[in-house]
């Protein structure tokens, strides 16, 4: 007797993915993560285009998350603190998907995408541990923005805020983890 409840299908990588009919929906095994190379600066646009193209082609259920690895940094612009987003890996995004021929072509033919990392026709998935490490790094950057420190020891600086504003000083120590510098100021 054949069991019609479970079916198998081969992905592009040749692995058998078990698909089980469950109630009204279909449950699948976990999708794999792939690194996609994009034009630098267009990561967010590529993400939205991939989501839209997946919906339009009816392949939205074969795509999972699409991540643009970025962190929040605090930078000084014209004497004012500003929080900005900085890409951790400029020109790369992480895509969770079932690798099929149709999905491969959908991703590769997306404008501003140069291809998958690791192989022209059969890219290897990245390990789940690597993705978790990147997600943790993104979450850490979102909760506690890092200061962008652009000072070197021995550099001449001008203090722009606080009781010693308008004084010149010499950088003695840089503490990037705290986002501070120690400056020696000559008052006389």
């Amino acid at each position: 007797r054949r069991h019609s409840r479970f079916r198998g299908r081969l992905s592009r990588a040749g692995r058998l993915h078990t698909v089980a009919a469950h109630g009204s929906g279909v449950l699948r095994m976990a999708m794999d993560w792939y690194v996609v190379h994009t034009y630098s600066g267009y990561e967010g646009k590529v993400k939205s285009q991939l989501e839209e193209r997946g919906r339009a082609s009816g392949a939205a259920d074969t795509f999972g998350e699409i991540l643009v690895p970025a962190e929040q940094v605090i930078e000084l612009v014209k004497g004012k603190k500003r929080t900005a987003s900085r890409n951790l890996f400029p020109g790369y995004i992480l895509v969770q998907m079932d690798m099929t021929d149709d999905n491969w072509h959908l991703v590769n033919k997306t404008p501003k995408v140069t291809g998958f990392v690791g192989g022209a026709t059969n890219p290897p998935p990245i390990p789940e541990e690597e993705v978790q490490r990147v997600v943790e790094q993104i979450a850490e950057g979102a909760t506690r923005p890092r200061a962008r420190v652009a000072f070197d020891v021995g550099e001449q600086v001008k203090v722009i805020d606080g009781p010693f504003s308008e004084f010149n000083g010499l950088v003695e120590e840089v503490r990037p983890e705290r986002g501070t510098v120690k400056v020696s100021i000559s008052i006389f």
Side-chain angles (χ1 to χ4, degrees):
R1 183 170 174 219
R2 290 185 61 163
H3 295 281
S4 61
R5 186 172 180 184
F6 295 103
R7 290 173 276 150
R9 115 181 125 72
L10 287 175
S11 70
R12 277 182 50 82
R15 290 194 297 266
L16 183 66
H17 290 279
T18 304
V19 180
H22 180 71
S24 63
V26 174
L27 294 177
R28 296 181 192 270
M29 289 181 67
M31 298 179 201
D32 291 325
W33 286 93
Y34 297 91
V35 179
V36 176
H37 188 256
T38 67
Y39 290 2
S40 187
Y42 288 92
E43 297 88 355
K45 198 167 276 202
V46 168
K47 175 185 176 181
S48 61
Q49 285 178 352
L50 280 175
E51 290 168 346
E52 180 60 35
R53 288 170 60 106
R55 279 192 297 273
S57 68
D61 60 332
T62 60
F63 281 89
E65 284 185 78
I66 300 174
L67 293 176
V68 178
E71 65 178 350
Q72 300 296 317
V73 293
I74 299 171
E75 52 188 25
L76 286 173
V77 177
K78 296 183 181 176
K80 298 187 182 193
K81 287 184 182 180
R82 192 182 104 203
T83 304
S85 180
R86 183 181 72 86
N87 286 343
L88 295 173
F89 309 112
Y92 297 95
I93 61 172
L94 302 176
V95 180
Q96 186 183 30
M97 61 186 270
D98 284 333
M99 183 58 74
T100 62
D101 285 337
D102 292 338
N103 287 350
W104 185 87
H105 284 289
L106 186 129
V107 172
N108 251 3
K109 299 300 180 193
T110 301
K112 311 288 192 248
V113 170
T114 58
F116 286 93
V117 172
T121 57
N122 194 8
I126 59 172
E128 187 70 30
E129 300 82 38
E130 290 289 323
V131 175
Q132 287 304 318
R133 198 172 54 153
V134 170
V135 168
E136 288 170 7
Q137 199 171 1
I138 293 170
E140 180 183 312
T143 58
R144 189 185 56 176
R146 250 185 31 191
R148 182 180 287 179
V149 180
F151 299 107
D152 294 323
V153 175
E155 186 178 355
Q156 283 282 103
V157 294
K158 182 175 184 178
V159 181
I160 58 170
D161 192 23
F164 297 106
S165 62
E166 302 300 319
F167 282 93
N168 291 328
L170 190 67
V171 176
E172 288 186 348
E173 184 179 348
V174 179
R175 300 179 194 147
E177 68 280 351
R178 295 182 64 195
T180 61
V181 293
K182 187 175 182 181
V183 178
S184 172
I185 297 174
S186 177
I187 298 176
F188 299 107

